[in-house]
């Protein structure tokens, strides 16, 4: 149990001190803004000001006061303490990323269980940014609380996607053949990426439907090439041809069936095949998770065999490299974390792990079988007695089949409020898959991921 025990008024002694150190996070300021109603934009994350890839935010002054309240309420005197008054003078500012310490020191005791404290907040170098005095009503009796009884909070921000966008936008826009952008969602997604300088779209499809979709969303298509091919199969073939000709460096799915597009990609003659099997990766920004999470394959390979899973794993590892993860941790999922001959996916997982050990899968740490809980939660892994570099830290989740992957990705999206970008790998160029259910951020993320993948491929020659 994690208990906080107080110090009753009779046990308080002049000069007693307590403190807590906290690293300021943008999420803290969002919580404060929502709970207090203080939506002052000075305190909310905005563009990166110092080039560290993090949006800047200034700590609300009264949020720092809340840190002092936390010291008084949790440590000295502790649980059962009631505020009578607080005076504060603010001498400086804290920003997201700063490590600050809130401190209190008992100055005097008065009648009726009153206790007066000097209070202050300081930066890591000792510079005070707030100081003052608090008077509290100290508890009479010993009290202990289990901090796990307090509900946790999940802040629905998507900072991981913001960082991908920040890295992708300065790069050269990627010429992209957008196949059948004939409705508001698919055309809007391509144009959104165009406005963010991620893509330079070439619109391939029915010109009349594209024009109608543009009119519906109030978009100006001036300056964009439109290739009028009403038939979806023929439009897909033309888009693939553009890649061969060097006019396009990526494909983007519009308002057509995925099969119609991939059929042209997978042609033995004139397609975009490589020596690796095609697979799909959901790149997910999950609130509360401190890293990107990738789920594969949830869209193309229905029931992959061991050989196909090797390519699925390798494709995902290469994508992780493109996104800046040097040695991604890959969890091969099953229903259990032990090898069971009656569950074929556990055998595949064990073999994949050993193949990575022997260098047959390169560039990542691979472990399995792992159940979902011990793949992403360190405490669950410890409870099961699993000790590995991957368990509890998995950044890539490889599912046993498409059904499991599709359910997992949609559960994370619609229950855990994750945002998901989708990309197909294993072809000679990235293939961007978006859904009508995707919001603007998810569509941008899909395009940004494709740009990063293209850039990584260029850097490897």
């Amino acid at each position: 149990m994690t208990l906080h025990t107080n110090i009753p008024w009779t046990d308080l002694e002049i000069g007693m001190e307590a403190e807590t150190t906290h690293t300021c996070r943008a999420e803290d300021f969002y919580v404060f803004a929502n709970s207090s109603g203080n939506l002052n934009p000075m305190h909310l994350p905005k563009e990166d000001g110092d080039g560290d890839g993090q949006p800047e935010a200034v700590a609300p002054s009264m949020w720092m006061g809340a840190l002092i309240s936390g010291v008084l309420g949790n440590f000295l005197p502790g649980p059962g303490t009631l505020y009578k008054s607080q005076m504060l003078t603010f001498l400086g500012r804290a920003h997201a990323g700063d490590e600050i310490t809130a401190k209190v020191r008992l100055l005097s005791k008065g009648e009726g269980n009153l206790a007066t404290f000097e209070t202050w907040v300081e930066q890591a170098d000792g510079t005070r940014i707030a100081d003052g005095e608090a008077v509290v009503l100290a508890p009479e009796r010993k009290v202990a609380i289990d901090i796990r009884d307090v509900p946790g909070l999940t802040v629905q921000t998507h900072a991981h996607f913001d960082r991908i966008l920040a890295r992708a936008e300065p790069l050269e826009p990627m010429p992209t053949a957008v196949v059948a952008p004939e409705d508001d969602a698919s055309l809007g997604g391509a144009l959104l990426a165009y406005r963010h300088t991620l893509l330079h779209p070439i619109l391939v499809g029915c010109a009349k439907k594209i024009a109608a979709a543009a009119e519906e969303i109030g978009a100006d298509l001036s300056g964009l090439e439109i290739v009028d091919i009403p038939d979806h199969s023929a439009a897909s073939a033309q888009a693939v041809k553009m890649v061969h000709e060097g006019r396009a460096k990526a494909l983007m799915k519009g308002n057509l069936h995925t099969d119609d597009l991939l059929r042209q990609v997978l042609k033995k003659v004139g397609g975009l095949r490589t020596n690796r099997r095609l697979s799909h990766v959901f790149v997910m920004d999950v609130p509360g998770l401190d890293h990107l999470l990738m789920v594969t394959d949830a869209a193309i390979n229905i029931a992959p065999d061991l050989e196909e899973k090797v390519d699925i794993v390798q494709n995902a590892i290469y994508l992780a490299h493109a996104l800046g993860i040097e040695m991604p941790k890959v969890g091969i999922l099953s229903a259990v974390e032990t090898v069971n001959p009656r569950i074929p996916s556990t055998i595949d997982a064990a073999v994949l792990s050993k193949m990575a050990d022997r260098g047959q899968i390169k560039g990542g740490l691979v472990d399995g079988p792992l159940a979902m809980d011990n793949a992403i939660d360190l405490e669950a892994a410890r409870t099961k007695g699993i000790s590995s570099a991957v368990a509890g830290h998995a950044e890539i989740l490889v599912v046993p089949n498409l059904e499991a992957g599709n359910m997992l990705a949609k559960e994370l999206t619609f229950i855990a409020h994750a945002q998901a970008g989708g990309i197909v790998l294993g072809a000679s160029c990235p293939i961007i898959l978006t859904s009508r259910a995707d919001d603007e951020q998810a569509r941008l993320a899909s395009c940004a991921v494709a740009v990063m993948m293209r850039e990584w491929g260029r850097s490897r020659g």
Side-chain angles (χ1 to χ4, degrees):
M1 297 179 66
T2 307
L3 295 177
H4 279 192
T5 304
N6 67 1
I7 301 175
W9 186 83
T10 54
D11 295 338
L12 291 174
E13 297 179 4
I14 305 303
M16 279 184 165
E17 294 187 2
E19 65 181 56
T20 186
T21 298
H22 186 87
T23 299
C24 302
R25 300 181 305 161
E27 288 87 346
D28 297 327
F29 310 154
Y30 279 125
V31 171
F32 183 84
N34 278 277
S35 61
S36 68
N38 179 6
L39 302 180
N40 184 347
M42 277 297 296
H43 306 314
L44 300 181
K46 41 190 175 291
E47 67 275 2
D48 181 17
D50 55 14
D52 63 356
Q54 298 283 348
E56 305 303 313
V58 180
S61 296
M62 290 310 299
W63 174 80
M64 293 192 290
L67 293 183
I68 293 172
S69 173
V71 181
L72 294 168
N74 290 330
F75 304 109
L76 182 68
T81 298
L82 296 175
Y83 253 120
K84 295 290 288 184
S85 66
Q86 172 77 67
M87 183 276 290
L88 280 172
T89 300
F90 299 103
L91 309 171
R93 300 293 178 188
H95 298 79
D98 289 352
E99 184 181 90
I100 61 176
T101 301
K103 299 184 177 183
V104 304
R105 179 188 297 122
L106 181 59
L107 297 176
S108 64
K109 296 170 66 176
E111 294 183 0
N113 291 5
L114 290 179
T116 301
F117 288 85
E118 179 186 6
T119 63
W120 70 98
V121 179
E122 62 186 39
Q123 293 275 19
D125 63 1
T127 303
R128 288 197 180 191
I129 53 177
D131 64 19
E133 187 175 282
V135 179
V136 302
L137 189 64
E140 292 185 0
R141 296 180 297 276
K142 279 277 188 183
V143 175
I145 62 168
D146 187 345
I147 62 173
R148 294 176 302 179
D149 291 338
V150 179
L153 294 175
T154 299
V155 180
Q156 293 182 33
T157 61
H158 297 95
H160 304 307
F161 276 1
D162 292 339
R163 283 191 285 273
I164 292 175
L165 285 171
R167 292 178 59 194
E169 284 180 337
L171 300 174
E172 180 185 353
M174 182 167 63
T176 302
V178 187
V179 184
E182 298 165 353
D183 68 337
D184 56 343
S186 58
L187 179 62
L191 296 180
L192 182 67
Y194 178 50
R195 291 195 297 272
H196 281 262
T197 70
L198 298 172
L199 308 181
H200 186 86
I202 304 168
L203 309 178
V204 185
C206 176
K208 289 183 179 179
K209 291 181 179 179
I210 294 171
E215 184 177 355
E216 184 177 347
I217 61 177
D220 181 6
L221 301 182
S222 301
L224 293 180
E225 181 180 358
I226 300 174
V227 181
D228 185 17
I229 303 178
D231 179 77
H232 286 174
S233 180
S236 299
Q238 177 61 31
V240 168
K241 183 181 178 183
M242 288 180 173
V243 175
H244 282 292
E245 294 171 345
R247 295 174 59 195
K249 302 299 181 182
L251 300 180
M252 184 173 183
K253 173 181 173 291
N255 187 27
L256 78 164
H257 292 297
T258 302
D259 288 348
D260 288 339
L261 177 59
L262 295 186
R263 191 176 296 114
Q264 301 300 323
V265 171
L266 291 171
K267 278 188 172 180
K268 292 183 178 179
V269 178
L272 301 176
R273 285 173 174 264
T274 67
N275 60 353
R276 283 181 287 120
R277 186 176 182 84
L278 262 64
S279 63
H280 180 273
V281 180
F282 274 118
V283 180
M284 311 199 76
D285 192 335
V286 185
L289 203 59
D290 62 2
H291 57 80
L292 282 170
L293 186 68
M294 302 181 206
V295 177
T296 188
D297 180 344
I300 291 182
N301 294 284
I302 297 173
D305 59 23
L306 177 61
E307 187 176 4
E308 292 164 346
K309 286 180 180 179
V310 172
D311 283 346
I312 289 171
V313 173
Q314 192 66 69
N315 285 343
I317 289 173
Y318 286 152
L319 178 59
H321 291 171
L323 298 179
I325 306 172
E326 293 183 4
M327 186 59 67
K329 301 175 181 67
V330 184
I332 313 297
L333 295 186
S334 186
V336 295
E337 61 281 343
T338 55
V339 176
N340 185 334
R342 291 176 294 178
I343 305 177
S345 61
T346 66
I347 299 175
D348 285 353
V351 174
L352 290 167
S353 300
K354 182 53 66 176
M355 291 177 76
D357 291 344
R358 299 287 173 86
Q360 292 172 269
I361 297 173
K362 298 178 172 61
L365 300 174
V366 181
D367 193 19
L370 293 172
M372 180 66 182
D373 57 348
N374 45 61
I376 64 169
D377 185 88
L378 186 58
E379 198 59 39
R382 287 172 176 165
T383 300
K384 296 289 184 68
I386 303 171
S387 177
S388 83
V390 175
H393 303 287
E395 295 157 314
I396 299 172
L397 299 177
V398 180
V399 296
N401 54 50
L402 183 144
E403 294 165 295
N406 193 270
M407 286 186 279
L408 174 58
K410 288 181 178 176
E411 285 163 358
L412 289 170
T413 300
F414 292 99
I415 297 178
H417 307 290
Q419 284 190 327
I423 184 171
V424 175
L425 303 169
S428 58
C429 73
I431 302 172
I432 304 164
L433 294 187
T434 58
S435 165
R436 288 189 64 90
D438 288 345
D439 62 14
E440 288 191 351
Q441 186 79 347
R443 291 177 193 163
L444 277 177
S446 296
C447 296
V449 166
V451 170
M452 297 299 293
M453 192 69 200
R454 185 278 307 261
E455 192 69 13
W456 179 79
R458 289 170 64 178
S459 70
R460 298 177 74 224

